[in-house]
Amino acid sequence: MAAAGFFRLPPAAAQDRSTGRIEGRVVITVPVSTAPPSAAYGARRVEKPAPRSGSELVNVIVFIQDAPKVVPLPLKGAQIVQENETFVPRVVAITRGSSVIFPNGDPFFHDVFSLSRSATFDLGSYPKGQKKTHQFRQAGLVKVYCHIHSHMSASIMVFDHTFFTIPKADGSFTIEDIPPGSYKVSAGHERIGENSQPVKIDAGRTSEIQFALPIVIK
């Protein structure tokens, strides 16, 4: 578990000689603004917005689109904290069957709910110091909101495989233990779009790939 509840796959102990790996980097070429606060519930209850947590690259998910069919194990330790009327982190990637913990770190009530096709739920409202958990049983994108503060949102990407990762703050990433073959790899940011590229994986070798977001159409 990295800082601020950030969820990553554990590093492989050693490279399997029968599989390959991908190393690469993602670059964001435009400024990314925060979502404007909603006036639906009046003024924010915090005096100033939450500080930017750093690079927007930590809100990118890199994954194999046509990934080999595997039965992923549920991953432990994912959490999205409610603090300063913000979900932190704003983007989380997990395997199907994993649970996400939602602690409330603000001195007032929050709620967690989703109407997404992959997961529809409402955890209700609860005060500071309490937390609730939801298990995600179906693959797909889940958008999470707060009934009390309509400007709050987060994205949870649920995969039915393990061939995904979230880049480090400098944009670098690695995906390990990929069976040999030809695949399409995507890097997507929830607000500025997705870029996909083909890659060939050879046993015992590292394939390199670079992404720039957003895609510039000439």
Side-chain angles (χ1 to χ4, degrees), residues 68-90:
K69 298 299 181 182
V70 298
V71 179
L73 294 175
L75 298 175
K76 298 179 180 179
Q79 70 172 4
I80 298 177
V81 181
Q82 300 152 310
E83 58 183 17
N84 295 322
E85 290 187 27
T86 306
F87 286 117
V88 183
R90 201 175 70 234

Side-chain angles (χ1 to χ4, degrees), residues 14-94:
Q15 175 66 32
D16 185 345
R17 299 294 296 177
S18 66
T19 62
R21 66 202 298 263
I22 295 173
E23 286 186 354
R25 188 175 297 273
V26 180
V27 176
I28 293 177
T29 60
V30 297
V32 181
S33 60
T34 57
S38 168
Y41 293 96
R44 293 169 64 100
R45 296 184 63 177
V46 292
E47 293 183 358
K48 56 185 179 180
R52 298 297 293 272
S53 58
S55 171
E56 277 292 326
L57 290 162
V58 297
N59 294 318
V60 172
I61 301 175
V62 183
F63 62 98
I64 295 180
Q65 283 193 3
D66 47 349
K69 298 299 181 182
V70 298
V71 179
L73 294 175
L75 298 175
K76 298 179 180 179
Q79 70 172 4
I80 298 177
V81 181
Q82 300 152 310
E83 58 183 17
N84 295 322
E85 290 187 27
T86 306
F87 286 117
V88 183
R90 201 175 70 234
V91 175
V92 165
I94 58 175

Side-chain angles (χ1 to χ4, degrees), residues 104-116:
N104 183 358
D106 277 334
F108 39 81
F109 280 77
H110 278 302
D111 174 277
V112 180
F113 79 97
S114 178
L115 298 176
S116 300

Side-chain angles (χ1 to χ4, degrees), residues 169-196:
D170 65 357
S172 63
F173 66 88
T174 302
I175 301 178
E176 304 275 1
D177 299 326
I178 308 169
S182 296
Y183 304 100
K184 182 175 286 186
V185 181
S186 292
H189 185 282
E190 60 168 350
R191 294 180 182 170
I192 60 176
E194 183 176 308
N195 186 347
S196 298

